[in-house]
Amino acid sequence: MTIDLEVHKKLFNLFQVGDFYYMILNVPEANLEFVSEHFEKMLGVSAKDLSLADFFDRIHPEDQPIVLSFENFIGTFFANLPIEKIPFYKIRYDFRIRKANGDYLRILQQVVVIDYDDDGFFYKTLGVHTDISDLKTEGKPLLSLIGIDGEPSYINIDVEQKYTATSFLSKREKQIINLMIAGKISKEIANELSLSQHTIDTYRKKLLKKTATSTTAELIGKVIREGWV
C-alpha cells in the first residue's frame, strides 16, 4: 500500500515541528531516497549523495548502539502487529547528531510508514527530525511508539541493549589527548609513548580536523565536554 507523495505535508500534522528536516528512507535498498534542504541548514552538511551509512556515522558514538537496539525492537514490534494497524503507529526516539563544526544537536526522530505490501513488508518510511537541543540537554535516548486513532501508545520503552558502543577516538588518540590534558608537549608525549615527535605532531593535526577544532585548548575542552576521553 502506497501513500501518495502529495500527502506528505499532511503527515507533518503528526509531528511537533520546530527547526527540522525530513527524509524518505527506501527500506529494501537501505538508502535515503530524499532529504530536505533543511538538513544542510541545520547541520552545515550537504544532503547531496548522503548515504544512510554517512548519516549513521554522524550519530554520537554513545548513541549508535542504542539506536541499533531501538531499530531491532521496532522491527520485532511491527512484525507482530496486524498489517491493517501499521499506518496507526508513529515511531519516536531521540539521539545526538554531529554538525559540520563538530558540535552535536539532539534530534527527535519521528517516523511513519508510507509504503508497505500485503505481507507487512516496509518499502518506504517518512521521518521528521526536529532539533530539541534546548528541551533535552542530557540523558540517554528514549523510544516511544505512539498509537494513532485509538491505538495504545508505549512510552519510554525499556529496550534491551544488544550492541556495544564504538569509540569516536582510537585508543592511541585517547592516550595522546590525556597526556595533552596533563600539560605535556609533543616531545614529552613522544618519549612517553616511544614514538617520534613527528608522529605525535601528525596525530595532533589529525585530531584537530577530526574534532573540528582549531587549537589545542579548544580540542581539550571539546573532548572533555563530549565525554570522549
Side-chain angles (χ1 to χ4, degrees):
M1 181 181 297
T2 302
I3 299 177
D4 196 304
L5 296 181
E6 292 299 319
V7 305
H8 282 169
K9 290 184 178 179
K10 294 181 180 179
L11 289 173
F12 290 160
N13 291 329
L14 299 175
F15 308 106
Q16 295 180 354
V17 178
D19 271 347
F20 75 100
Y21 57 87
Y22 66 96
M23 54 178 58
I24 297 173
L25 172 64
N26 184 311
V27 178
E29 297 181 10
N31 65 33
L32 297 171
E33 190 170 285
F34 177 81
V35 181
S36 70
E37 69 275 9
H38 301 89
F39 181 86
E40 185 167 358
K41 292 177 181 178
M42 284 177 60
L43 300 181
V45 178
S46 174
K48 184 179 180 181
D49 300 323
L50 179 73
S51 70
L52 188 59
D54 293 334
F55 179 82
F56 187 78
D57 284 344
R58 290 202 160 271
I59 297 176
H60 195 290
E62 293 175 359
D63 293 349
Q64 288 179 357
I66 300 175
V67 167
L68 289 174
S69 296
F70 284 173
E71 291 295 330
N72 182 75
F73 182 92
I74 292 163
T76 301
F77 176 85
F78 276 96
N80 290 290
L81 196 68
I83 294 172
E84 66 272 13
K85 293 189 176 183
I86 289 175
F88 298 105
Y89 273 94
K90 177 177 69 173
I91 302 158
R92 184 181 76 190
Y93 62 80
D94 63 286
F95 55 85
R96 291 166 290 177
I97 188 166
R98 191 174 73 254
K99 298 169 60 178
N101 65 2
D103 293 336
Y104 281 88
L105 294 178
R106 187 174 289 272
I107 292 296
L108 179 64
Q109 172 176 264
Q110 301 183 85
V111 175
V112 290
V113 180
I114 59 173
D115 189 2
Y116 60 98
D117 64 20
D118 291 338
D119 294 320
F121 182 80
F122 294 0
Y123 288 105
K124 294 180 183 179
T125 62
L126 170 67
V128 176
H129 293 187
T130 306
D131 181 6
I132 60 167
S133 301
D134 292 338
L135 301 176
K136 184 174 180 179
T137 58
E138 57 186 18
K140 291 185 177 180
L142 296 171
L143 168 68
S144 296
L145 295 167
I146 309 301
I148 302 167
D149 287 351
E151 295 299 321
S153 294
Y154 305 91
I155 307 298
N156 297 343
I157 302 167
D158 185 12
V159 177
E160 178 185 358
Q161 296 304 303
K162 297 178 176 292
Y163 302 90
T164 303
T166 57
S167 177
F168 176 63
L169 299 173
S170 69
K171 181 179 178 180
R172 179 66 81 189
E173 288 171 336
K174 287 183 178 181
Q175 286 178 321
I176 292 171
I177 289 174
N178 279 318
L179 290 170
M180 290 167 62
I181 292 172
K184 296 185 180 295
I185 62 175
S186 292
K187 184 177 180 180
E188 294 171 323
I189 296 172
N191 290 337
E192 186 153 340
L193 298 180
S194 299
L195 297 170
S196 70
Q197 184 173 335
H198 174 73
T199 297
I200 299 301
D201 287 338
T202 299
Y203 265 110
R204 294 180 69 148
K205 289 177 182 177
K206 289 182 177 179
L207 279 166
L208 290 174
K209 183 177 181 180
K210 186 173 185 178
T211 58
T213 54
S214 55
T215 67
T216 297
E218 188 180 354
L219 166 64
I220 291 172
K222 180 172 245 183
V223 297
I224 292 174
R225 185 172 67 252
E226 298 294 341
W228 290 335
V229 292

